[in-house]
Amino acid sequence: MDPAARRSVPPAPATPVRLLRVEAEDRDLVLRAQDGEPWALEALFRKHVAPLTSLVIRLTSRHQDADDIVQDALAEALRDIRKLREPAAFRAWLHRIAVNRVRKRARRRKLTRMLGLDRGLEDATLYQLASPTATPEMLVELKLIDEALKELSSDERIAWILRHVEGQTLPEIAQVLGCSLATAKRRIASASEGLRRRRSP
């Protein structure tokens, strides 16, 4: 994505220092939750619901889909909290659960679209989420990117958005997608090439 266009899409990714602090806080809350303290589960929910919602909205382009996925993903993560062996990795674990649900929703949308049954409205594209200060040139670029993203596979689209919109590192993306670093890198490169081809005159 053009740097100017990328700046029009909120929010900025967490810095490594901030991420380390988040992981330390998550570790304490997860350990408390695993010990059966209900307030810790509520604290984890409150802490992660907003950033997870922002992420899933970008991955699905639909507010309604995102709301359903976030609620289900958080419910699954909190219900199965005792299965998490690395308490500091709660954020990545939660994101992986959510991304798996995004993939399932994408497959279902593809099928319903083929059958002419998809009545959903894409009301959260990158263009629609752009900053009010975005220039007309930025908006045109975001529209082109939105159209090109529709032509990618769900895995390529998710990997590209995690990298170029959310600003996640390759190791983070590989962890969330449950794949190797090489596979994550390959999906991002394939998506970038696909976008380049589809945006070329």
Side-chain angles (χ1 to χ4, degrees), residues 1 5-11 54-63 122-132 134 138-150 157 160-162 164-166 195 199:
M1 183 188 298
R6 182 160 58 248
R7 283 196 295 273
S8 70
V9 182
S54 294
L55 169 65
V56 176
I57 283 173
R58 285 171 175 76
L59 295 179
T60 62
S61 299
R62 296 185 181 186
H63 283 98
E122 289 195 343
D123 58 357
T125 62
L126 296 180
Y127 168 78
Q128 291 165 322
L129 295 172
S131 166
M138 291 177 185
L139 294 176
V140 169
E141 175 75 0
L142 290 174
K143 273 191 173 182
L144 291 172
I145 291 171
D146 282 329
E147 290 303 312
L149 285 173
K150 291 179 183 178
R157 184 177 185 276
W160 189 90
I161 290 175
L162 290 175
H164 293 291
V165 178
E166 296 297 315
L195 263 67
R199 290 161 58 204

Side-chain angles (χ1 to χ4, degrees), residues 14 21 54 62 76 87 108 129 133 154 163 184-185 200:
R21 187 163 67 245
S54 294
R62 296 185 181 186
E76 179 181 342
R108 189 165 64 194
L129 295 172
T133 62
S154 60
R163 183 73 180 115
K185 188 174 182 179
S200 295

